[in-house]
Structures are given as structure tokens and as C-alpha cells.
Amino acid sequence: MLLNEDEIPRQWYNLAADLPTPLQPPLGPDGNPITPEMLAPVFPMNLIEQEMSQERWIDIPEGILDILYRWRPSPLHRAKYLEEALGTPARIYYKNESLSPAGSHKPNTAVAQAWYNKEFGIKKITTETGAGQWGSALAFACSLLDLECKVFMVRISFDQKPFRKVMMETWGGTCIASPSNETQAGRDILAKFPDTPGSLGMAISEAVEAAVTDPKGETRYALGSVLNHVMLHQTIIGLEAKKQLEKFGEKKVDVVIACAGGGSNFAGLAFPFISDKINGADIDIIPVEPSSCPTMTHAPFVYDHGDTAKLTPLLPMYSLGHNFVPPPIHAGGLRYHGMSPLVSQAIVEGLITPRAIHQLECYKSAILFARTEGIIIAPETSHAVAAAIQEANKAKEEGKEKVIIFNLSGHGLMDLVGYQKFFNGELEDYAYPKEEIYKSLKVLDGLPKPSLAKSGKW
Ligand SMILES: Cc1ncc(COP(=O)(O)O)c(C=O)c1O
């Protein structure tokens, strides 16, 4: 189901305006809420204002829409062939974000963030990337807006996915493996752990340091997920999807599913549906994560830093601890120790129900999807497909004609090494041992606790 250009949403939806309990503020090193001025060396003020906004609807500037038209509105597909293969009475729909130039949902916010930085007079943007989807999306956006772009890519993904670096370079960006010797944070980590596979937490420390130490003050940092303004920019996905479901003749949605690393692709599809749920709709909304990095399903709701070197403010979120180094499974984009504060708050409020799934089930689901619907999906996306299949099978057992929608967050054409390892029988399931999680949570001792935190949960 396609929409015309003139049907594209012209405003983003801000869930912060509708949460039953207001979002708790990020805290500075002294334990007090941070002020916009404190964030000014890291982000441009126009994005800081958006980060703190309580407005329900925020206009999308024409300059951003002009770029988004290159691939938006994105199609909503009915997964008829997958339904047939499963023999389910459910109707399964997927929003196809794999058609963006970089191959995922990430350009929706990369373009917006690059545009706001440019408006503010910034010349260069630094960032981190896990699987490389975000780094390439930002390099793409910066090339269109004539900004320099430097990406710190988690070492293990840098080695597993060399062609993502080539994509970034093709768009004029630079990409280096993290931890690196280019920053103090990187050097400190390498001195302690010379063989570390890296983590998003480490790469964020490096990218933030690289931005704030620019002597000319012309560099800012961009984050590909987690923060409120990133969730906001992605809501165009769910807003389009609602119009498309209506055109398909669907009056009610039963299940909404998306994978969640830092939470942005989930937020993008799900937040407009969470709004319906707050207003009384009966919908199961499921963010899906890997069992090997079980932030939402096994970690506590706490205040924690977004990065290893503790350069970021304390955010109220589900967190496995800022030093958590997840095992090198292939869904690099889902290996983050924390979760978006907005998504975290929606969990605490009982609006959404997270689920963890093992790697092998995800790959099997991805292969069934490729052999029915045709698209070879990213390993991150396979978590959403696996959950959609679980839900479709449940509908079959119950004999119910449910409507299921999931976000196809990216294609997997740069991730074929993972598929190859699966076919060679080299992948295995891995659940992070509870004792190791307890150890990793030790770094939270002494940090402030958000209200609504359940004491002793872990
Ligand atoms: C294809 C794809 N899907 C999902 C994610 C998860 O990120 P987020 O939770 O921010 O959407 C990533 C992250 O890199 C990704 O590349």
C-alpha cells in the first residue's frame, strides 16, 4: 500500500505529551536535573529544545520533508505469502523501512539531525555506530547537507561488516574502529582491555569526546537512538502506517511489534499506537530484544549513563549497567546496555510488553521470511519477524483473525556473514548468565534511583 507524497505526515508525534506519568529528567553529575545550557557543547540548541519539548505535535520543516520524499512515504506490505506458509488466520502487515538509501529506518532521524545541525551553523558531526546502519545513514544525510561526518564503529561490527565502512566513505564520511587511540576514552579502555570487541557504550564515549574537544566549537555529536528527539523523528513511520492500514480497510490493530536496540525503530512504529492505547484501544505492543542482551526483560529501571566513560547525563531507563559488554551476536544494532527513557517509561507504565528471543529462532524466521516474502532482512529485524511469527501461530491456535503489524527496520544485504555462519552451523543461542548481569549492575550502586523504580527487582 503506497501513499502519495502529499499524504506524508507533516508533524511528528511526541509521546512525552501523553504519558500517564511525566518523564523524569536527565540528571547531571551533582544529581540535579541538567539544564539546556549543560547540553549545549554536545548538541545544537534547536535539537535540545526538541529533546525537552512537551508539545504533542511538532511540525516537520519543509527542508527535511524535501529530503524524506526521496524514499518516503515508505510502503506497507501485507505478508500474504508468510501468512499462507504459516496457515494462520492472522493478517500480517509490515512497514518497509529497508528502502531508504542507507537500507534502514535510521535516515529518518539522520536527515532531521543533520538538517537542524546545519541550521545552527555546525560544520561537523561525530557519532557511534553498532551494526553500521546508523553510521551510514548519518554519512548519507551529511553528504546531502554538506557536513563532515566522523563515525566510531564498534570494533566487532567493524570487523564483521567491512562494507558498511565503504558505504560511509562513499558518502564522504570517515569511519574508525572503536575503541580507538584517537580519544582519551578509547585509550583508557584499550589500556585496560586491549582485546575488547567494543560496545556502543564505548563508541558513544569516543564520539562525545571528539565533539566536545573541537577547539573551534564547530562540531556536535549525534545519537542514532535512545534520546527523545530521535524517537520523535521516527514517528513518521507509525503515522504513515496508520493511514495505510486504514486504506487496507483495517479498523483495528491487535498486535504491534518492532525490535529494539536503543528503541528508535520500535518508537517509530509503536508510539502512535501507544497513543491509541492510552486512549482506550486494546492493543498488544511488543518491543523485541535478543536474549543475549536482555535490557528490557532482565535489567532494572534505574538512572544510568548512556556510555562507558560516563560522559553522558544519567538517564532514567532500563539498563544492564554502563560497562556491560554484550556477546558478539550478529544483531549488532541490538547490543546496547540501555533503552530509550520514553520506551522505558512505557514499560514501567504497563503500556507495552517486552519480549526476548534467541538468535537461532530469529535466523530461522528471517530465512522463512526471505523464502516467502522475498526480502533478506537485517539480523536486528529478524527479532521482529520471529515475534510476528510467534503471534501469528498463537492466533492460529486461538482460531482468531488478528491483525499484526511489524516494522521491517532494515535489509540484511550487508549482513550476509551472519546468514553464512547460520548455514554453516556456527551460531548458537546464548542467554546472558544471571550472575554476570548482577555483576554488571554493580556500577549502579550509589547512583540516584528514578521514582517508579521497583526496589530489589534484580
Ligand atoms: C536494521 C536495524 N533495526 C533496528 C535497529 C535497532 O536500533 P533502534 O532500537 O534504535 O531502532 C538497528 C540498529 O542499528 C538496525 O540497524
Side-chain angles (χ1 to χ4, degrees), residues 357-392:
I357 305 186
H358 279 292
Q359 170 162 261
L360 294 182
E361 182 177 344
C362 293
Y363 270 103
K364 282 179 201 146
S365 305
I367 288 159
L368 176 61
F369 193 76
R371 291 177 187 178
T372 51
E373 294 298 314
I375 305 174
I376 298 179
I377 53 175
E380 291 81 5
T381 311
S382 71
H383 291 71
V385 172
I389 291 175
Q390 288 178 354
E391 289 299 310

Side-chain angles (χ1 to χ4, degrees), residues 104-106 133 224-225 259-265 333-334 378 380-381 409-410:
S104 77
H105 64 296
K106 297 282 181 185
Q133 289 272 18
S225 194
C259 64
S264 74
N265 122 85
L334 305 185
E380 291 81 5
T381 311
S409 55

Side-chain angles (χ1 to χ4, degrees), residues 54-69:
Q54 291 295 316
E55 293 291 313
R56 179 171 294 118
W57 295 101
I58 295 180
D59 289 343
I60 308 178
E62 285 298 324
I64 294 177
L65 286 172
D66 280 346
I67 299 178
L68 295 183
Y69 288 139

